[in-house]
Amino acid sequence: MALCGGVGAMALPSELIVHIFSFLSDRDKLRASAVCSRWRECLFYPALWTELKLRIGGGGCNGGGGSSSEETPRLEFLMRKFGSFVRELQLELAPVEGYLSPLNSDQSSTRMDQPPGPDNDPQLSERWRDAMATYLDQVLCVFTSIRNNRNLQKLSLYGDTCILQQEGLLDSSNLHQIHQGDKKINEIQQLFMELLSNGRQLRWLSCSFMLGLVTPCSLACLSNPSAETLQHLSLLDHQLGPLISPSELDRLSNLHSLALDFSDLTSELCGLLASPRRTPLHRLSLLLNGAALEFKPLEGTATEDDWKALVRVSANLRVYIMALEVDSSELLRVLKPSLPLERLHLDSYNTLVSDATLELISQQYNKTLTHFLLLRDDPDFPDLSVNRNEDPLVLLAWRCTQLAVLVIHGYTVWSHNLVAISRLRGSSLRVLTVSEESIDFDPDQSVCMEGDPVHNLVKEVSLGLGRVWHPCLDSSLVLSEPTQHFHRELHAFSMGM
């Protein structure tokens, strides 16, 4: 890299090199650090590493390959270098996914092909324990490095360890089977509480499905300065009881966004959020997991009157709900008329959503609903329009005038109804994703049409939307891992994106 006058890049002042490197991605920074000692010295300047976004396992650190255990040294290096001063840390740990997936020889398997329980296969049992031990070591590494970081402003953690096993959800009790598991869990929980106690300007705290990390007592350690500055809180766990008490929520008077398990949003918590002494809440994300309702029932959750009181104080509040494996009777219990629902994601493996539920959704949330995802990972594709004059999905597109995102898989969508949806919403429907497997063609109409029916459908829908459209040929692109999708979507939703 020659410069004018024959002066090489090595002659540039360190400040200028640091400024140039500030435009590189994290991955490119690490690659550049191997060029020479001068570059390495400049690249590890603290100002270049105020933000770290990492995914360990199941796809690699920063998108690289390799198992989760192979990435531990890289994580240790990054945490040792930057953990004490990094201001924003976003970390996804996927030791189980990344470590166990090679055992599945069928690479085309969907979410239904989950690994069996760790006690069913000796080889799987050993590798499962290795993976979970790696998970504990990595969490220890992270919190040992950031425990005294007083400048940390954003901490976002996601543990991709929620495997749906034959005998139920993987939970924290499984970690106790690991060698020194109890000791490591206690140390992790202590380090997390130290971090909360030492922080002075924490604005974003998100912990999603981090096994063995958050306890109902964790938030009590949050320092008073961070309690004042905290604007986003997300605490999600499939099986533990409420992770935030009314007294702790009362301290967090400046929250703009909140994410909880639906069962944890009690009438009392909703009443506190409706207090006029608080900053109005703008975004509320709720996860309703049907598999966890046995441990976390819906009794005592927010009532219609609670929602009315909350909306009176927080007039701009919008709500995002993911319902995972929840039957229609439970959905009807939680979808209150005054709930300002903006995004709804109904996801299941075999549970059916009824046409009556879709009818209620389209009537109650016709002015607020912008995102609707209807997904089902099952070989059967039920037809929701049977015994109805109008297809409920067409009615939803007609009534919900703000609808901008519609994603469908696992239910039959007739081609003429898909055309109707595209024409009703037009270019305002920014995303229309329908898997090819879900689309069916009326044989009576096909007789009257010339040419290939798929080609005709693509043409008509494209005309309706005012842009080129194609059905989704790969259902795996639609069927992302639900909890991971929720974690990432609530992040964007809470930031107003």
Side-chain angles (χ1 to χ4, degrees):
M1 182 166 101
L3 300 178
C4 295
V7 179
M10 299 302 297
L12 291 173
S14 297
E15 293 79 3
L16 184 54
I17 295 177
V18 169
H19 177 70
I20 294 172
F21 288 160
S22 68
F23 296 99
L24 297 180
S25 66
D26 289 352
R27 179 186 294 182
D28 288 338
K29 288 175 191 173
L30 291 175
R31 287 174 175 170
S33 68
V35 171
C36 64
S37 59
R38 175 86 189 289
W39 281 26
R40 187 178 303 111
E41 179 184 343
C42 292
L43 280 160
F44 291 139
Y45 189 74
L48 291 176
W49 297 93
T50 58
E51 180 181 356
L52 275 179
K53 296 181 180 179
L54 304 171
R55 178 171 175 82
I56 310 297
C61 184
N62 284 334
S67 71
S68 181
S69 59
E70 292 172 350
E71 293 158 3
T72 300
R74 189 184 306 183
L75 177 65
E76 290 174 345
F77 171 79
L78 291 172
M79 289 295 101
R80 186 172 64 252
K81 282 284 186 180
F82 315 119
S84 61
F85 59 78
V86 66
R87 296 198 175 189
E88 295 187 12
L89 176 61
Q90 297 183 50
L91 179 64
E92 294 187 3
L93 296 169
V96 174
E97 175 194 2
Y99 209 69
L100 296 187
S101 57
L103 290 180
N104 188 348
S105 58
D106 182 6
Q107 298 299 317
S108 63
S109 62
T110 66
R111 300 179 305 172
M112 287 297 290
D113 297 318
Q114 302 289 351
D119 296 328
N120 296 343
D121 184 316
Q123 183 188 12
L124 182 60
S125 177
E126 180 181 354
R127 299 185 69 174
W128 178 87
R129 287 186 173 87
D130 287 344
M132 296 312 296
T134 297
Y135 166 80
L136 291 177
D137 290 339
Q138 290 173 345
V139 177
L140 267 174
C141 166
V142 170
F143 282 101
T144 300
S145 301
I146 66 175
R147 63 193 292 186
N148 294 316
N149 187 337
R150 290 173 173 262
N151 297 316
L152 190 65
Q153 297 179 6
K154 181 174 184 176
L155 178 63
S156 177
L157 302 172
Y158 170 73
D160 196 357
T161 55
C162 299
I163 293 182
L164 189 64
Q165 301 178 66
Q166 293 176 351
E167 59 275 344
L169 287 167
L170 180 69
D171 63 18
S172 298
S173 64
N174 297 98
L175 298 180
H176 297 287
Q177 303 175 29
I178 309 303
H179 177 62
Q180 292 189 325
D182 291 331
K183 178 182 177 181
K184 291 180 179 180
I185 290 170
N186 291 334
E187 188 176 352
I188 288 170
Q189 292 173 353
Q190 184 61 38
L191 289 170
F192 181 56
M193 290 188 286
E194 284 185 34
L195 171 69
L196 297 182
S197 176
N198 291 329
R200 289 296 178 266
Q201 46 185 321
L202 199 59
R203 290 180 170 82
W204 184 288
L205 177 60
S206 175
C207 294
S208 301
F209 317 113
M210 292 291 294
L211 293 181
L213 176 61
V214 185
T215 72
C217 303
S218 298
L219 212 56
C221 298
L222 186 69
S223 68
N224 288 329
S226 286
E228 288 292 321
T229 59
L230 196 66
Q231 297 181 355
H232 171 83
L233 176 65
S234 172
L235 296 177
L236 297 166
D237 187 286
H238 278 305
Q239 292 184 322
L240 280 178
L243 296 175
I244 179 170
S245 67
S247 61
E248 293 307 326
L249 180 63
D250 199 35
R251 292 177 65 207
L252 311 177
S253 58
N254 293 312
L255 282 180
H256 290 186
S257 54
L258 178 66
L260 296 171
D261 190 289
F262 196 102
S263 299
D264 292 346
L265 186 67
T266 62
S267 183
E268 184 178 6
L269 284 190
C270 201
L272 284 173
L273 293 171
S275 170
R277 297 180 292 103
R278 301 179 59 88
T279 298
L281 196 65
H282 290 275
R283 295 289 186 271
L284 178 60
S285 302
L286 299 168
L287 177 64
L288 179 60
N289 191 336
L293 289 179
E294 176 185 353
F295 312 97
K296 308 174 78 168
L298 293 172
E299 281 71 25
T301 54
T303 64
E304 169 68 3
D305 289 339
D306 293 328
W307 283 110
K308 287 181 178 178
L310 180 55
V311 172
R312 278 196 297 268
V313 173
S314 301
N316 296 320
L317 176 65
R318 290 296 178 263
V319 177
Y320 164 40
I321 294 178
M322 172 185 275
L324 177 59
E325 204 66 50
V326 179
D327 62 39
S328 291
S329 63
E330 299 290 359
L331 280 174
L332 294 175
R333 291 181 61 187
V334 304
L335 295 177
K336 307 296 185 185
S338 296
L339 191 157
L341 187 64
E342 181 177 288
R343 305 187 186 193
L344 180 60
H345 181 162
L346 304 179
D347 204 317
S348 68
Y349 298 103
N350 46 45
T351 303
L352 281 174
V353 174
S354 67
D355 59 323
T357 302
L358 291 186
E359 179 78 10
L360 178 135
I361 291 167
S362 65
Q363 289 181 347
Q364 287 189 171
Y365 310 116
N366 59 311
K367 295 180 180 180
T368 60
L369 192 67
T370 64
H371 292 57
F372 184 62
L373 286 77
L374 181 63
L375 305 176
R376 185 170 178 267
D377 192 2
D378 190 85
D380 295 327
F381 288 72
D383 182 5
L384 294 171
S385 63
V386 173
N387 301 323
R388 292 181 61 96
N389 293 327
E390 296 292 341
D391 183 88
L393 290 171
V394 174
L395 287 176
L396 184 138
W398 174 57
R399 290 170 176 156
C400 298
T401 56
Q402 304 301 314
L403 191 67
V405 174
L406 180 61
V407 181
I408 304 169
H409 173 76
Y411 293 84
T412 295
V413 182
W414 293 99
S415 59
H416 58 276
N417 289 330
L418 194 53
V419 173
I421 290 171
S422 69
R423 291 174 177 173
L424 283 167
R425 294 273 54 90
S427 59
S428 63
L429 190 60
R430 294 186 287 103
V431 176
L432 176 60
T433 303
V434 183
S435 65
E436 186 183 40
E437 302 166 82
S438 301
I439 301 173
D440 206 348
F441 297 86
D442 188 338
D444 295 333
Q445 290 191 356
S446 299
V447 171
C448 304
M449 290 185 179
E450 295 182 359
D452 178 46
V454 176
H455 175 77
N456 290 332
L457 173 66
V458 169
K459 179 181 177 182
E460 291 299 321
V461 175
S462 297
L463 285 172
L465 296 175
R467 64 179 185 274
V468 176
W469 177 89
H470 291 282
C472 182
L473 302 180
D474 185 358
S475 61
S476 66
L477 298 177
V478 181
L479 293 167
S480 58
E481 203 287 313
T483 56
Q484 183 185 83
H485 178 90
F486 184 71
H487 169 73
R488 294 177 177 177
E489 187 70 12
L490 79 84
H491 186 280
F493 175 68
S494 299
M495 295 183 69
M497 299 168 62

